[in-house]
Amino acid sequence: MSAPAPAPAPPMAAPRVGLLYDDRMRAHATPDGEEHPENPERLRAIWRKLNAEGVAPRCVALKAKEAEDKYIASVHSKSHIKLMKEISSKKYDATRNKIARKFNSIYFNKGSSESAVLAAGSVIEVAEKVAAGELSSAIALVRPPGHHAEHDEAMGFCLFNNVAVAANYLLNERPDLGIKKILIVDWDVHHGNGTQKMFYNDPRVLFFSVHRFDYGSFYPAEGDASHCFIGEEGGKGYNINVPWEHGKCGDADYIAAWDHVLLPVTKVFDPDIILVSAGFDAALGDPLGGCCITPNGYALLLTKLLGFAQGRIVMALEGGYNLRSIANSVCACAKVLLGDKFTFNAPEMQPFESTWSVIQAVRNELKTCWPVLSSKLPENVSLRIRPSPSEVNASSDSESDSEDVAELLPTVASVNVIEVAGDAISEHLSKMKLDDDNLSVKTTSSCSAAEQHLVDSVKVQNNASVVLTKKISDLSLAWRSDLSRTDVWYASFGSNMWRPRFLCYVQGGKAEGMSIACYGSRDTSSPKGTMWKTVPHRLLFGRSSTPCWGTGGVAFLNPEINYNEKSYVCMYKITLEQFNDILFQENRLVLKDGKDGNVVYPDSPLIGSSEIKFISTNKAIHLEPIKDSWYSNVLYLGNEGELPILTMTCPASDIERFKSGELPLAPPSETYAATLIRGLVEGKQLDADGAANYINACAAKGL
């Protein structure tokens, strides 16, 4: 007699996925109905897509809930909470717009206060239900977004930091839920500056942000988005930044960051819950992000996270401004959480070479904190060369990109399967080698040195300042030979006043106090002369941090002449070729990207002989190819021995942003200030006390 057949295994329970949507968060809008990327239609587009695909009915519907002040106060100041909660009231009707202008990229209307409190409370609501086991995972469709909002400041479309409020709530208000370690994954294309600062010393929170950095020029354009910022004190190693060097990064680049940085660290960290700051502005077709993640790319990134924290994942909406892209991407992620499968077909998974340079730098920075990142990486990977400047600078909602999105999105959004057959993607990515000496960059130049680039390379603005408009790739490498025969005086007013630090820009390496080494110039010759002057320009200290000097402001010279001001400059007689190499390095345009670890410079100058002629008349050139970089303005300070005196500083528009508070004025760090003092003392301009008083007075004086 045969044994009875075993009873079939009971079917696995379908995941209970929460979906929070509330029309009240659409009340936050521009005050006069003007167009803005962060607008109420973002939520409606997602909601329509989820219903059209039959996703919304399969989820547990949740309504928004206002956050209590005491929970918001875990990350924000009382004054900030008071202002955000009252800004929509009648008493601010006359001043609401004026107050908004004091912030960086913020608007208010009569619906802003309610929307902000609902957004913060909604993320608390869904996080609590997932942590308690009532839901397996959840998506909070909230706005305004939150990850840029800092302790005492709204910025970047964000009023309250929704994810940070929810994380603090789980850790500090609900210990009974057993949440002791939280992973926050921020895949918004912009750095999550606010969230980073709120948990920078906290080892209970592992914060991971992958974002465009563009050498510090991409919003929010602060140095603390660099890979060098890894946390402090007990939180050292628990802050991970993966900063892309340019746009056009796509699925392969993000998957590589997951496989070679995020996932190995997450396995060791072993979080109890994962909160995703789910911005979709790195999606293909986004008008602000300029990157190329597909909906299936987001789905795969999310799938890779489901293996941790028992799949307890909370997604909170952040950015994403192409309505079609954001709707399709959220829909693809919702299907993943519901357990649907999909096929990820990627025959050519080729990340950028720059991606490997960044990943290697991140691993090197963190390997002492996370030994799992010390292991040798695989070899023999096919990599793409970095995009040209014209490709990167092209609008991401250009005609060609729009066609790509129109062609791609209907297909990927309708696919609801995740089968990576034979682990083809993992196998391909496992072959990647990230060592610096296996990177390569191919540069091309199709222009001759003799090509005209004079009159039409410069635009004279109404304020008589000059804007350089030629592209970095317009000239051939023959320029180095030409400019090596032209001498100029480079006037330094910051750390380069100390000669050992200045020589790093010429000969490479780093001086005492520096965290990052310089690449040096192609011409490593020492300066042919040195002298000191004072100039009628105001010295100021701005921005909040840099990878080289850490937290604190760095020196800028107000481009406006003011004969009541006197600033010290140390002048070095160098070639115009060397001046361009210093300008490249100040604006982070020099890369170590080659197969043999070679240093790669831009293939044309920013300042040539023709620009010298223009600048001597117009006194300044704002360099359009790097217009968003910190030192994109070259000033003419006169002549010395018939040679022009040049320096580099911020544009006049940044001075206005410093005045308004949009950009921070900040005193220099002790290390940075000490470098300036050494320059002034060793240059015999001031004694130590006098130099310190000079620096302190400049840092303390308002604009």
Side-chain angles (χ1 to χ4, degrees), residues 138-218:
I139 300 173
L141 300 178
V142 297
R143 60 177 297 274
H147 70 148
H148 291 310
E150 300 194 350
H151 176 67
D152 199 34
E153 183 179 2
M155 65 178 288
F157 313 161
C158 303
L159 305 188
F160 291 135
N161 196 312
N162 308 318
V163 166
V165 170
N168 266 289
Y169 175 82
L170 294 181
L171 290 169
N172 301 320
E173 301 295 333
R174 293 297 309 272
D176 56 303
L177 296 177
I179 302 298
K180 297 179 180 178
K181 292 185 291 182
I182 296 177
L183 167 63
I184 298 177
V185 176
D186 189 332
W187 68 38
D188 190 282
V189 79
H190 303 95
H191 179 234
N193 55 290
T195 314
Q196 170 172 301
K197 290 175 181 175
M198 289 166 181
F199 299 108
Y200 204 61
N201 303 323
D202 194 338
R204 299 175 301 170
V205 176
L206 175 62
F207 177 65
F208 175 90
S209 178
V210 55
H211 49 267
R212 279 187 67 176
F213 183 55
D214 295 27
Y215 309 103
S217 65
F218 198 77

Side-chain angles (χ1 to χ4, degrees), residues 198-475:
M198 289 166 181
F199 299 108
Y200 204 61
N201 303 323
D202 194 338
R204 299 175 301 170
V205 176
L206 175 62
F207 177 65
F208 175 90
S209 178
V210 55
H211 49 267
R212 279 187 67 176
F213 183 55
D214 295 27
Y215 309 103
S217 65
F218 198 77
Y219 191 89
E222 296 293 348
D224 60 2
S226 162
H227 70 282
C228 299
F229 286 77
I230 63 171
E232 290 178 346
E233 301 173 359
K236 185 176 181 181
Y238 292 88
N239 193 87
I240 302 177
N241 287 321
V242 178
W244 300 143
E245 295 176 351
H246 51 72
K248 303 298 181 183
C249 293
D251 296 350
D253 304 282
Y254 281 79
I255 291 167
W258 255 235
D259 287 352
H260 295 296
V261 179
L262 176 59
L263 301 185
V265 174
T266 300
K267 185 174 182 180
V268 177
F269 180 65
D270 191 22
D272 298 310
I273 194 171
I274 299 173
L275 307 183
V276 181
S277 272
F280 294 93
D281 41 8
L284 182 65
D286 190 89
L288 300 188
C291 286
C292 303
I293 305 182
T294 66
N296 272 9
Y298 282 115
L300 185 55
L301 298 180
L302 186 60
T303 299
K304 287 174 175 285
L305 295 176
L306 280 172
F308 303 99
Q310 301 174 40
R312 294 193 288 191
I313 293 178
V314 172
M315 298 181 65
L317 187 65
E318 298 282 1
Y321 309 103
N322 178 309
L323 299 186
R324 193 171 187 179
S325 294
I326 193 173
N328 282 287
S329 298
V330 172
C331 188
C333 289
K335 290 179 179 181
V336 167
L337 296 181
L338 286 165
D340 292 2
K341 296 181 177 181
F342 67 91
T343 300
F344 190 93
N345 294 318
E348 296 183 5
M349 288 290 291
Q350 289 187 314
F352 285 113
E353 291 161 332
S354 59
T355 293
W356 304 129
S357 177
V358 168
I359 289 176
Q360 184 63 68
V362 172
R363 288 172 64 99
N364 286 340
E365 191 72 35
L366 289 163
K367 63 186 179 184
T368 56
C369 303
W370 302 101
V372 68
L373 300 181
S374 301
S375 59
K376 186 178 178 181
L377 295 165
E379 303 181 4
N380 303 323
V381 174
S382 177
L383 301 174
R384 291 185 290 165
I385 63 170
R386 66 188 296 115
S388 69
S390 59
E391 288 178 298
V392 173
N393 292 331
S395 171
S396 64
D397 60 346
S398 65
E399 184 179 347
S400 61
D401 272 345
S402 297
E403 290 171 356
D404 288 343
V405 174
E407 182 179 336
L408 168 74
L409 292 179
T411 354
V412 293
S414 64
V415 176
N416 54 359
V417 199
I418 264 190
E419 288 168 2
V420 187
D423 288 330
I425 302 305
S426 298
E427 181 180 353
H428 179 87
L429 292 174
S430 72
K431 296 178 181 177
M432 296 172 177
K433 179 172 177 61
L434 313 185
D435 296 332
D436 285 342
D437 57 0
N438 279 274
L439 303 173
S440 64
V441 158
K442 299 175 183 175
T443 57
T444 60
S445 178
S446 57
C447 304
S448 69
E451 279 191 280
Q452 81 168 45
H453 62 284
L454 303 180
V455 177
D456 56 1
S457 72
V458 175
K459 294 179 182 176
V460 181
Q461 303 296 303
N462 293 333
N463 62 4
S465 66
V466 175
V467 178
L468 182 70
T469 59
K470 73 171 185 292
K471 297 293 185 185
I472 289 176
S473 57
D474 283 349
L475 301 177

Side-chain angles (χ1 to χ4, degrees), residues 83-84 87 92 95-108 152-156 219 656-664:
L83 178 61
M84 293 303 104
I87 194 66
Y92 284 105
T95 58
R96 190 177 297 122
N97 291 348
K98 183 179 179 181
I99 292 171
R101 287 193 292 271
K102 293 181 180 179
F103 294 103
N104 182 342
S105 304
I106 288 294
Y107 64 77
F108 298 120
D152 199 34
E153 183 179 2
M155 65 178 288
Y219 191 89
E656 295 306 311
R657 295 169 72 195
F658 283 126
K659 288 179 180 179
S660 69
E662 182 181 346
L663 291 177

Side-chain angles (χ1 to χ4, degrees), residues 489-491 529-533 569-573 640 645:
W489 288 100
Y490 162 52
T530 305
M531 63 183 299
W532 287 79
K533 285 177 71 80
V569 294
C570 179
M571 305 197 317
Y572 301 98
K573 186 179 179 181
E640 179 63 40
I645 304 169

